[in-house]
Amino acid sequence: MSPPYAALRTSAPLRIEAIELRLLRLDLVEPFETSFGRVRSRLIVLVKMEAEGLEGWGEIVAGEEPLYSYETVGTAMHVVRDYFAPAVLEAPLSGLSDFAERLAPFRGHPMARAGLELAYVDLIARARGESIASLLGGVQVRVQAGVSLGIQAEVSGLLERIEKFVRLGYRRIKLKIKPGWDVAVVREVRRHHPDILLSVDANAAYTLADRPHLKQLDAFALLMIEQPLEHDDLLDHAELRRGLTTPICLDESIGSARAARQALDRGCCDIVNLKVGRVGGYSQALAIHDLCRSRGVPVWCGGMLESGIGRAHNIALASLPGFTLPGDISASRRYFARDIIAPEVEVGADGTVEVPRGVGLGFEIDRDYVAAKTETVERFTLRGKTVSVS
Ligand code: NPQ
Ligand code: MG
């Protein structure tokens, strides 16, 4: 790991004494529809890591079904329970690079891996008495908010929602698109809002054969088109990019720092959506951030409909200097009637979110609400596993 991240260590090696996986279901304020499907609630996986009287918290952002990625809540529980947790508990850890190396023998499962890294970095921050943002080398005291708007039954419903979020100050509106909900919708949105920062996200709904169709989006001065082609593709994106003037942003296709380097070397994208969960945690996210910054490639912080704990980590990450575009960082109430942190994340009238300066995540965890919503807890220690179901 590069020298600026030397702070991501503890003064002495730390033995992780326990890891807890907690499942809780939070209803969304309204359904969220993308090209891969519709969700009404989120099954949240919280990770708690304990050492020397301290706790660190993280979140595993996998969905319930293998749609956005192959990972699910079930696969993540399995790999943490049977492989990752035993490896983390086995011997003391000196810092994030040591942590990443401990899990390096295991292939894949970035979201499960990331949930553990997030909890570990929160633990380091608390052990050092610092905020996660400052530990990471964050420089921005407020980060730019944006909102991702799902596919609607009617264009009128989309226009109402855009109106609302523009009025709330959000700095960028992103529309989910799919075949049948794309060019005509964007045209109508632009007719009402000629000057807003507007982008679209296809979640891999098209193929190269759709190039002539996607080319029509060039008429609408979009900030970017996100992940038009398949989730595991880089090269067709390079091909598509040569035929469009709209900048291409990759999300699903950037699964690691290596994929990011190859994407930039091959001209596959103009912009990177960085999600700590998708890339396997802070170790990869920091490397991707540094790479993009050194190449002058804009980065923004993506979102996975996280609870406050994942949201707080996103805000900390987005405080790094390379995050130059508004992200999918929204207020807690954009997704949930009540969040599990206090204070909840709010978007100011200027369309920014404050980066907390408190120790660790910088938010209190609403333990009563977490307890009320908890469905199951699995606790892992060196001695074995305890399960409780409520
Ligand atoms: C994206 N997020 O940028 C994702 C996609 C996404 C805010 O647009 C359950 C699990 C629901 C994963 C909804 C936003 C999800 C999900 C959306 C991922 O592509
Ligand atoms: Mg996306």
Side-chain angles (χ1 to χ4, degrees):
M1 193 157 300
S2 54
Y5 304 124
L8 284 161
R9 318 170 47 81
T10 45
S11 54
L14 198 61
R15 178 177 284 284
I16 309 299
E17 293 148 15
I19 298 172
E20 271 185 16
L21 289 180
R22 180 181 296 265
L23 282 183
L24 40 121
R25 187 174 294 281
L26 298 182
D27 291 328
L28 296 172
V29 293
E30 64 175 15
F32 189 75
E33 185 173 331
T34 67
S35 64
F36 58 77
R38 170 188 272 247
V39 288
R40 289 185 170 73
S41 66
R42 271 302 253 138
L43 186 58
I44 302 289
V45 187
L46 296 184
V47 181
K48 184 172 78 168
M49 218 173 260
E50 300 173 8
E52 296 181 359
L54 298 169
E55 290 177 355
W57 289 82
E59 178 169 341
I60 296 175
V61 300
E64 288 172 76
E65 301 170 295
L67 298 174
Y68 171 85
S69 85
Y70 66 79
E71 286 188 272
T72 66
V73 171
T75 66
M77 300 286 288
H78 160 57
V79 296
V80 172
R81 178 192 303 125
D82 294 332
Y83 308 107
F84 294 179
V88 168
L89 293 166
E90 179 184 77
L93 290 157
S94 62
L96 183 61
S97 62
D98 197 14
F99 189 98
E101 275 170 40
R102 185 74 58 82
L103 296 186
F106 304 112
R107 288 194 182 161
H109 301 281
M111 293 175 181
R113 193 179 296 259
L116 293 176
E117 273 205 9
L118 297 185
Y120 180 63
V121 166
D122 185 30
L123 194 57
I124 298 179
R126 289 176 202 258
R128 297 174 62 108
E130 272 185 70
S131 70
I132 294 173
S134 101
L135 191 66
L136 297 177
V139 295
Q140 311 191 59
V141 298
R142 302 190 66 92
V143 298
Q144 304 189 73
V147 68
S148 174
L149 297 177
I151 292 161
Q152 307 291 323
E154 311 279 348
V155 178
S156 61
L158 180 61
L159 290 170
E160 281 166 24
R161 283 163 181 79
I162 294 170
E163 201 68 55
K164 169 181 156 182
F165 287 101
V166 167
R167 218 169 308 121
L168 285 170
Y170 282 78
R171 295 201 177 179
R172 184 227 60 194
I173 304 289
K174 167 170 129 180
L175 312 179
K176 290 297 195 179
I177 59 167
K178 66 175 183 181
W181 183 268
D182 50 25
V183 176
V185 173
V186 173
R187 180 178 295 116
E188 192 61 8
V189 168
R190 261 296 181 233
R191 203 165 67 75
H192 287 81
H193 298 279
D195 298 324
I196 59 171
L197 273 189
L198 184 66
S199 68
V200 295
D201 184 358
N203 288 111
Y206 301 91
T207 71
L208 253 194
D210 296 310
R211 179 170 21 196
H213 181 69
L214 293 171
K215 180 83 188 140
Q216 297 178 76
L217 292 172
D218 282 347
F220 306 115
L222 297 176
L223 184 60
M224 70 192 83
I225 175 169
E226 180 178 343
Q227 196 69 37
L229 310 181
E230 271 135 296
H231 71 99
D232 57 354
D233 172 78
L234 287 176
L235 298 184
D236 280 0
H237 279 104
E239 185 70 20
L240 177 68
R241 179 167 171 258
R242 282 192 278 277
L244 298 187
T245 58
T246 305
I248 301 242
C249 172
L250 290 178
D251 174 356
E252 287 90 327
S253 297
I254 306 293
S256 64
R258 177 166 49 84
R261 174 178 53 76
Q262 291 173 350
L264 301 190
D265 284 347
R266 302 280 178 137
C268 303
C269 64
D270 302 281
I271 297 169
V272 170
N273 167 336
L274 188 40
K275 289 176 180 164
V276 75
R278 191 194 67 227
V279 303
Y282 281 120
S283 50
Q284 291 288 307
L286 293 171
I288 295 171
H289 165 271
D290 292 0
L291 171 78
C292 291
R293 189 158 183 248
S294 75
R295 305 270 187 105
V297 172
V299 168
W300 55 275
C301 184
M304 291 291 286
L305 284 55
E306 293 92 343
S307 79
I309 290 176
R311 196 167 297 277
H313 280 285
N314 289 346
I315 293 166
L317 181 67
S319 72
L320 290 170
F323 286 79
T324 54
L325 292 171
D328 282 343
I329 290 181
S330 302
S332 297
R333 65 170 153 274
R334 150 71 184 106
Y335 292 110
F336 306 110
R338 179 174 169 186
D339 204 343
I340 61 170
I341 54 167
E344 298 196 345
V345 175
E346 292 196 77
V347 172
D350 68 344
T352 66
V353 168
E354 184 182 14
V355 179
R357 273 163 296 185
V359 172
L361 286 174
F363 293 88
E364 293 302 319
I365 291 162
D366 184 342
R367 286 166 194 271
D368 293 341
Y369 191 51
V370 168
K373 286 286 172 184
T374 294
E375 296 184 356
T376 63
V377 182
E378 289 187 43
R379 183 178 173 85
F380 311 103
T381 63
L382 255 193
R383 287 169 301 284
K385 188 181 98 159
T386 336
V387 184
S388 66
V389 182
S390 68

